């Protein structure tokens, strides 16, 4: 694990694209986004509930009235999606649209959502550019999984298993506290808990999860990131790298750095010395 830099924490959303760290700060007083420190003003962004940046750097956001918006790179304004009751937007090109009862995967495919407790709600949909697997996260910290399991990305040790319906994850009893966030790389996933613990599963050939081990060996179930135990405030994944922000304002990176994803000279960050 490599320390990238130190900084004071702020109210912001951040996302890693394939080769860059994209930081978005929402200024509530001026009703504007600051994207990599550049002003980008958009209308209708009162009562913001979620922000997501996909691989081509589209900006996707959802407001409390259930309206979703997608802003393409270079645009100075946004237009609402036609879908109603939007809860979250995810996937490459903002293709995954989560509503109260459906997950819209593309123009022709919708997946029914599972029934959950009346006091719970789906808040996040995650996948990678492959879009052969999907995660759903609920407000109460439950994880539902769907689709294929390449490299054990779903946190299930059998990489050949396939889930044809959204299924409550069966192997999370060891997780230390409530799950509040989950991010996906190309073939790996990392969940974050309320107490600052993170757990990763899937492809780890570049130590991109942050779990030490032999290259070419997958992490087959969600495994604690020991070196940052209890410390992670926010995290995000690129295709083959991960960035962790700690509660004390330090930023750590691990994985592929061939394009300077961590600002440091291009390399594979396989050092586990903070």
């Amino acid at each position: 694990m490599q320390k990238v830099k130190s900084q004071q924490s702020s109210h912001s959303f951040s996302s890693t694209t394939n080769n860059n760290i994209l930081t978005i700060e929402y200024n509530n007083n001026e009703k504007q986004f600051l994207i990599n420190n550049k002003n980008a003003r958009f209308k209708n962004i009162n009562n913001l509930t979620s922000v997501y940046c996909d691989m081509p750097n589209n900006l996707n956001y959802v407001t409390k009235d259930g309206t979703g918006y997608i802003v393409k790179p270079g645009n100075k304004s946004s237009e609402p999606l036609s879908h109603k009751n939007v809860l979250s937007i995810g996937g490459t090109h903002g293709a995954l649209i989560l509503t109260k009862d459906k997950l819209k995967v593309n123009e022709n495919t919708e997946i029914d959502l599972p029934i959950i407790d009346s006091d719970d709600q789906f808040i996040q949909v995650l996948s990678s550019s492959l879009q052969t697997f999907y995660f759903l996260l609920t407000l109460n910290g439950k994880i539902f999984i769907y689709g294929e399991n390449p490299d054990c990305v779903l946190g299930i040790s059998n990489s050949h298993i396939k889930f044809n319906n959204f299924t409550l994850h069966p192997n999370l009893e060891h997780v230390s506290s409530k799950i509040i966030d989950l991010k996906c790389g190309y073939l790996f996933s990392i969940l974050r808990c309320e107490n600052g613990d993170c757990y990763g599963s899937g492809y780890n050939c570049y130590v991109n999860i942050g779990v030490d081990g032999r290259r070419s060996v997958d992490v087959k179930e969600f495994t604690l990131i020991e070196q940052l135990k209890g410390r992670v405030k926010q995290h995000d994944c690129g295709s083959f790298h991960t960035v962790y922000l700690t509660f004390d304002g330090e930023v750590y990176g691990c994985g592929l750095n061939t394009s300077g994803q961590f600002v440091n000279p291009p390399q594979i960050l396989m050092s586990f010395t903070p």
Side-chain angles (χ1 to χ4, degrees):
M1 190 80 66
Q2 177 82 27
K3 183 186 289 186
V4 179
K5 61 180 179 179
S6 296
Q7 63 181 28
Q8 296 298 317
S9 60
S10 62
H11 298 291
S12 65
F13 305 87
S14 66
S15 180
T16 55
T17 62
N18 192 30
N19 293 325
N20 301 287
I21 299 175
L22 182 64
T23 301
I24 306 168
E25 184 171 347
Y26 176 61
N27 186 319
N28 188 59
N29 293 328
E30 298 181 16
K31 301 295 184 295
Q32 68 176 348
F33 290 108
L34 304 176
I35 304 177
N36 283 0
N37 299 319
K38 295 181 180 179
N39 292 346
R41 296 178 181 273
F42 302 106
K43 60 185 180 181
N44 302 324
I45 55 175
N46 294 300
N47 300 315
L48 193 72
T49 60
S50 68
V51 174
Y52 172 76
C53 281
D54 57 32
M55 196 67 77
N57 284 356
N58 291 328
L59 173 66
N60 310 283
Y61 63 93
V62 179
T63 54
K64 281 187 177 179
D65 63 0
T67 304
Y69 298 83
I70 295 181
V71 185
K72 297 186 181 298
N75 286 10
K76 296 297 183 181
S77 62
S78 58
E79 296 298 330
L81 301 174
S82 59
H83 304 275
K84 303 300 182 183
N85 300 315
V86 176
L87 300 175
S88 180
I89 301 172
T92 305
H93 301 284
L96 300 178
I97 300 173
L98 179 66
T99 65
K100 290 185 176 180
D101 58 355
K102 301 277 187 182
L103 173 62
K104 180 181 179 295
V105 176
N106 54 48
E107 291 297 329
N108 302 312
T109 305
E110 292 183 339
I111 304 172
D112 291 331
L113 301 187
I115 297 173
I116 56 176
D117 296 338
S118 59
D119 64 344
D120 206 355
Q121 175 181 311
F122 293 109
I123 59 172
Q124 194 176 19
V125 55
L126 272 303
S127 185
S128 75
S129 57
L130 283 178
Q131 291 196 186
T132 59
F133 60 87
Y134 308 101
F135 289 92
L136 292 176
L137 174 63
T138 77
L139 187 64
N140 290 343
K142 294 182 179 180
I143 297 284
F144 290 82
I145 51 179
Y146 179 98
E148 300 175 1
N149 188 35
D151 293 84
C152 304
V153 66
L154 295 177
I156 305 294
S157 59
N158 178 4
S159 63
H160 301 292
I161 196 170
K162 182 176 181 180
F163 295 88
N164 295 315
N165 298 288
F166 272 111
T167 302
L168 182 65
H169 201 294
N171 298 334
L172 296 177
E173 296 87 354
H174 64 293
V175 172
S176 56
S177 69
K178 176 183 172 181
I179 300 167
I180 59 173
D181 196 10
L182 188 146
K183 304 294 185 185
C184 293
Y186 185 64
L187 285 169
F188 67 98
S189 56
I190 299 175
L191 58 85
R192 178 167 54 87
C193 296
E194 203 167 39
N195 67 353
D197 284 353
C198 283
Y199 296 78
S201 185
Y203 185 93
N204 192 44
C205 286
Y206 301 113
V207 195
N208 40 277
I209 292 174
V211 174
D212 199 3
R214 301 188 309 276
R215 294 191 66 182
S216 80
V217 177
D218 296 332
V219 179
K220 294 188 175 182
E221 294 182 343
F222 280 110
T223 302
L224 179 66
I225 315 299
E226 292 279 359
Q227 290 212 326
L228 295 176
K229 178 176 172 58
R231 297 185 60 196
V232 181
K233 177 182 179 180
Q234 193 172 358
H235 77 292
D236 217 329
C237 303
S239 292
F240 298 105
H241 72 280
T242 303
V243 179
Y244 296 96
L245 171 66
T246 66
F247 288 109
D248 53 7
E250 295 180 335
V251 180
Y252 290 80
C254 54
L256 199 62
N257 187 39
T258 52
S259 298
Q261 288 92 323
F262 306 113
V263 182
N264 298 311
Q267 58 182 306
I268 298 173
L269 293 182
M270 298 183 67
S271 170
F272 279 76
T273 303

